[in-house]
Amino acid sequence: DRADLRSKAEEEWYGGAWTPEYQRFVMGVAAQERERHDDLKYGADRSSAAPGSLWTNLGPANASFIKNGSVTLNVVDSGRLRTILVHPSNASLIYVATSGGGVWKTTNGGTSWTALTDSLGALSNGAMAMDPSAPDTLYLALGDPFDGTGLGFVKSTDGGTSWSSPVMIGDSTKTMDLVVSPVNSNLLLAGTNKGLMRSTDGGATWV
C-alpha cells in the first residue's frame, strides 16, 4: 500500500485537493450525522477484550472489511495507530489515536476500551499529545496526514470526556506530530505541512 499514491489518486478523483473550507463543511456534516445516530456509536459496552498477548481490533463498528490492492481482508480495522499515550502516574490508563477509528481510552490496561471522539465530525487523526504536567489535558490533531479527512486540532482538559471546537494551526491542513513542553504547559510544537509551528498560549494561537 502506498499512502502517498492513494492520496494523489483521491485528489484526481475529486478534481483537486480538498480546500480547508470544504473540509470544515464535511466535518460539520459528519458531526451532525453522528449526533442523529447516537445509538449506533461504538461504546464500551460493545468493546472487545484483548487477553494475554493477543490483540483485537477495536473499531469503527461498521468497518466489516478493508481492501488493500487486490486483496480483501474480512476484518474490522480502525487503521494505523498514530499515537499511544500512557498516563505518567497510572500505567493502566492509556489513550490511542488511530488513522481512521477515532481516539480510544482504557483505564484497565487494555481489558476494555471506550471511544472518545465519535461526535467530533472526524474519526481520522494525525497526532495526539498529553500535557506532562497536567495529564488530563490532551491535544488531538484531526485528519490522518496521508489520506484522512479533518482539519485543525481539538483540546480536552478532562481526559477526553469533552473536546473544544476545532482550532486551526496557522494555515496548515495536515499535522504529523504534536508535543507539549514538559516544563511549560503553554508551549506546544506542531509538525505540519506548512512547517514547524509553535504556540505559547496553550494552542490558542500559532506562529
Side-chain angles (χ1 to χ4, degrees), residues 51-77:
S53 60
L54 301 177
W55 291 83
T56 302
N57 282 314
L58 301 177
N62 62 346
S64 57
F65 72 93
I66 60 173
K67 190 172 182 66
N68 189 359
S70 60
V71 178
T72 298
L73 306 175
N74 292 313
V75 297
V76 175
D77 192 2

Side-chain angles (χ1 to χ4, degrees), residues 80-99:
R80 302 177 304 281
L81 289 185
R82 293 290 305 166
T83 308
I84 302 174
L85 298 175
V86 181
H87 193 283
S89 61
N90 180 2
S92 295
L93 201 168
I94 305 167
Y95 301 89
V96 294
T98 69
S99 64

Side-chain angles (χ1 to χ4, degrees), residues 77-161:
D77 192 2
S78 60
R80 302 177 304 281
L81 289 185
R82 293 290 305 166
T83 308
I84 302 174
L85 298 175
V86 181
H87 193 283
S89 61
N90 180 2
S92 295
L93 201 168
I94 305 167
Y95 301 89
V96 294
T98 69
S99 64
V103 173
W104 295 78
K105 176 181 181 178
T106 178
T107 58
N108 51 23
T111 300
S112 61
W113 295 82
T114 302
L116 299 181
T117 57
D118 278 0
S119 299
L120 287 185
L123 290 177
S124 179
N125 303 299
M128 186 166 63
M130 176 187 290
D131 183 345
S133 302
D136 283 340
T137 298
L138 304 171
Y139 297 88
L140 174 66
L142 300 174
D144 176 67
F146 296 105
D147 58 2
T149 57
L151 195 64
F153 79 99
V154 290
K155 178 179 180 179
S156 174
T157 57
D158 53 16
T161 300

Side-chain angles (χ1 to χ4, degrees), residues 5-92:
L5 294 181
R6 185 168 67 249
S7 179
K8 181 180 179 181
E10 287 180 355
E11 287 190 11
E12 293 175 354
W13 178 267
Y14 289 109
W18 285 19
T19 64
E21 292 75 18
Y22 187 62
Q23 285 182 281
R24 291 191 192 95
F25 168 75
V26 170
M27 288 172 60
V29 172
Q32 292 174 10
E33 287 298 303
R34 289 197 178 90
E35 288 304 312
R36 284 180 55 198
H37 302 287
D38 187 72
D39 58 317
L40 299 179
K41 287 181 183 176
Y42 195 79
D45 59 333
R46 287 184 282 170
S47 62
S48 301
S53 60
L54 301 177
W55 291 83
T56 302
N57 282 314
L58 301 177
N62 62 346
S64 57
F65 72 93
I66 60 173
K67 190 172 182 66
N68 189 359
S70 60
V71 178
T72 298
L73 306 175
N74 292 313
V75 297
V76 175
D77 192 2
S78 60
R80 302 177 304 281
L81 289 185
R82 293 290 305 166
T83 308
I84 302 174
L85 298 175
V86 181
H87 193 283
S89 61
N90 180 2
S92 295

